[in-house]
Amino acid sequence: MTHPTRRALRSSAVGVERPDETRPLTRRELRERERTAESIALTASDARAAERVHVVEGSAPLYTSRRALREAATRVARDLPVHMAEAAFTAPVITVDAPSLGGGGESIPGVRPARGFAPRVVREAPTAPPSRPARGARKLAQKISAAGALLFIGSLVVVTSLPAQAVQAPGGIDPEVAQMHNGDAQVLEGVEAETTSYFARDDITVNDQMAAARMTTGERAAFQAVADGEPVGPSYTGNPAQPQVWSMLETSFVQTPFPSMDQVPMSSGFGYRPGGFHGGSDFTPGLGTDIRPIANGVVSAVFHGNNPGGGGYSVFIDHNIDGEFIQSWYGHMLPGSITVEVGQVVDITDVIGQVGNSGRSTGPHLHLELKNSDYISFDPVLWFQTREQNLERAW
């Protein structure tokens, strides 16, 4: 019997289906089969559980998994109506009508047209300032009173220096006293009328400069009547806002904004400091301390918290110091404490406001700044002491 060769067997096996050969599965294949079986079991278990559940109409929905719960919540959230609220904030509009505090007047805004002010009703409203004789009579009366007081004191000195015999009745002298002065009797001679001295008017000088600088009621009324009838110009040009009444308020007396205090603490002086140049002096007498003008003058600007330079509540006053224009700034005042208005004539005794912390401020203080006719800031403290102007441009 002839057996076929191997090549014949291989060629005859082409196209013939072979039986499946069994081989061991790998670990990955075993894990995939287990996961598939678990998934099939869970699906069958959920189906059997769903068949036993009876859903009542109107009840809350049931979810078989957390994923189904999240998907349902997402669908509900997408269907919710969304309403956008309108913006309630309206940006403020600031109108710049004065340079910033400490700016030195380099940036000057446009000049607004002058606006008139209604005149106030006063009891005494003469059209010209009162004459000086009334004040001269008062000074003469003060001098005469002082002379009388000196005469009275001199008479007391004379009386207390007399000997005892001079005040005893004639013939009533004590014999022992008479013996002590026997031979050299003391005689009190009278004073002749021609030797009486009088105090001349020019011999007495009144040194109360503050009293002389104060305005009387009539003077204030007269100046205010002129101010009420004069239009108010810009307050940042180096010229008086009301030239006519300003020319009538010439004075030589100046004071600090706190005349009742011997010493006033300062937190920052005139000159450079961290953050830039400081065009004034910062005084810290305490929150709520009364502020008075440095001299008689007329108010040229008032800011109720809207000072464009960050000064908050502030007041500008024009002064005539020996014929020279000086403008004083009072910044960071206490809100609601300002007692003056534009066009008002102020006296050195008037309270114009109180120390506060308004505007760009790090603590309660008064920012005092002075401007000259060139509208340049200068050192207030040095000017109070020497009347010298240490100008900002010199720095």
Side-chain angles (χ1 to χ4, degrees):
M1 182 177 180
T2 304
H3 297 282
T5 63
R6 292 181 178 179
R7 178 177 295 177
L9 291 174
R10 285 198 298 270
S11 60
S12 62
V14 175
V16 178
E17 183 179 355
R18 293 185 178 183
D20 295 336
E21 295 181 358
T22 59
R23 61 179 180 81
L25 299 175
T26 62
R27 292 182 179 179
R28 178 177 296 178
E29 292 173 346
L30 290 174
R31 286 196 297 269
E32 290 178 355
R33 284 190 178 186
E34 291 175 358
R35 292 194 189 98
T36 303
E38 290 178 358
S39 177
I40 294 173
L42 289 175
T43 302
S45 177
D46 293 342
R48 290 192 296 268
E51 292 176 356
R52 294 193 298 267
V53 174
H54 299 281
V55 180
V56 180
E57 185 178 358
S59 62
L62 297 176
Y63 303 98
T64 58
S65 63
R66 292 183 179 178
R67 182 176 181 180
L69 178 61
R70 289 195 299 269
E71 292 177 352
T74 302
R75 289 193 299 270
V76 174
R78 290 174 179 173
D79 297 337
L80 290 176
V82 178
H83 300 281
M84 300 298 293
E86 297 181 357
F89 174 76
T90 303
V93 178
I94 299 177
T95 302
V96 177
D97 57 354
S100 62
L101 288 176
E106 297 177 359
S107 176
I108 300 178
V111 178
R112 298 183 304 176
R115 56 182 186 275
F117 285 82
R120 290 189 292 268
V121 179
V122 294
R123 295 183 178 178
E124 300 179 19
T127 57
S131 58
R132 293 295 179 180
R135 176 175 290 185
R138 183 178 61 184
K139 291 184 178 179
L140 179 60
Q142 292 176 349
K143 294 180 180 181
I144 295 176
S145 300
L150 292 177
L151 288 175
F152 178 72
I153 294 173
S155 63
L156 291 178
V157 174
V158 173
V159 172
T160 54
S161 63
L162 292 179
Q165 297 90 332
V167 295
Q168 291 185 356
I173 301 177
D174 191 346
E176 296 181 358
V177 176
Q179 292 176 2
M180 290 173 58
H181 299 279
N182 187 15
D184 293 330
Q186 186 176 4
V187 180
L188 178 63
E189 298 180 355
V191 180
E192 297 180 359
E194 288 76 11
T195 61
T196 303
S197 61
Y198 297 92
F199 285 91
R201 176 179 178 182
D202 297 334
D203 293 337
I204 301 177
T205 303
V206 178
N207 295 322
D208 192 351
Q209 298 179 357
M210 180 178 291
R214 296 191 188 104
M215 289 185 287
T216 64
T217 304
E219 288 175 335
R220 183 192 289 260
F223 296 148
Q224 190 61 65
V226 176
D228 291 341
E230 183 179 7
V232 181
S235 62
Y236 41 82
T237 62
N239 297 316
Q242 294 179 284
Q244 184 177 358
V245 68
W246 174 86
S247 64
M248 302 166 61
L249 295 172
E250 182 175 354
T251 181
S252 299
F253 180 82
V254 296
Q255 63 181 9
T256 70
F258 313 101
S260 62
M261 302 180 64
D262 295 333
Q263 293 181 345
V264 183
M266 290 180 54
S267 60
S268 182
F270 180 85
Y272 282 103
R273 65 179 183 180
F277 189 86
H278 187 228
S281 298
D282 292 345
F283 298 95
T284 56
L287 182 67
T289 304
D290 290 340
I291 302 172
R292 289 175 170 81
I294 64 169
N296 298 340
V298 56
V299 179
S300 57
V302 175
F303 299 92
H304 292 279
N306 58 340
N307 187 295
Y313 288 77
S314 54
V315 173
F316 295 178
I317 301 178
D318 295 347
H319 309 280
N320 185 342
I321 309 299
D322 295 329
E324 183 179 5
F325 173 79
I326 299 293
Q327 187 180 79
S328 57
W329 294 7
Y330 310 83
H332 308 296
M333 285 185 172
L334 188 68
S337 67
I338 295 179
T339 60
V340 295
E341 59 184 5
V342 175
Q344 179 175 341
V345 175
V346 293
D347 183 80
I348 55 175
T349 60
D350 293 338
V351 175
I352 62 175
Q354 295 178 339
V355 175
N357 191 29
S358 60
R360 290 200 300 266
S361 173
T362 58
H365 72 282
L366 170 67
H367 175 90
L368 176 65
E369 187 164 345
L370 302 182
K371 296 280 190 180
N372 60 12
S373 57
D374 295 326
Y375 217 68
I376 299 176
S377 301
F378 56 91
D379 190 348
V381 176
L382 179 63
W383 185 76
F384 281 133
Q385 296 172 344
T386 64
R387 294 292 180 91
E388 296 180 2
Q389 295 186 10
N390 183 18
L391 302 180
E392 178 179 346
R393 63 187 178 188
W395 293 73

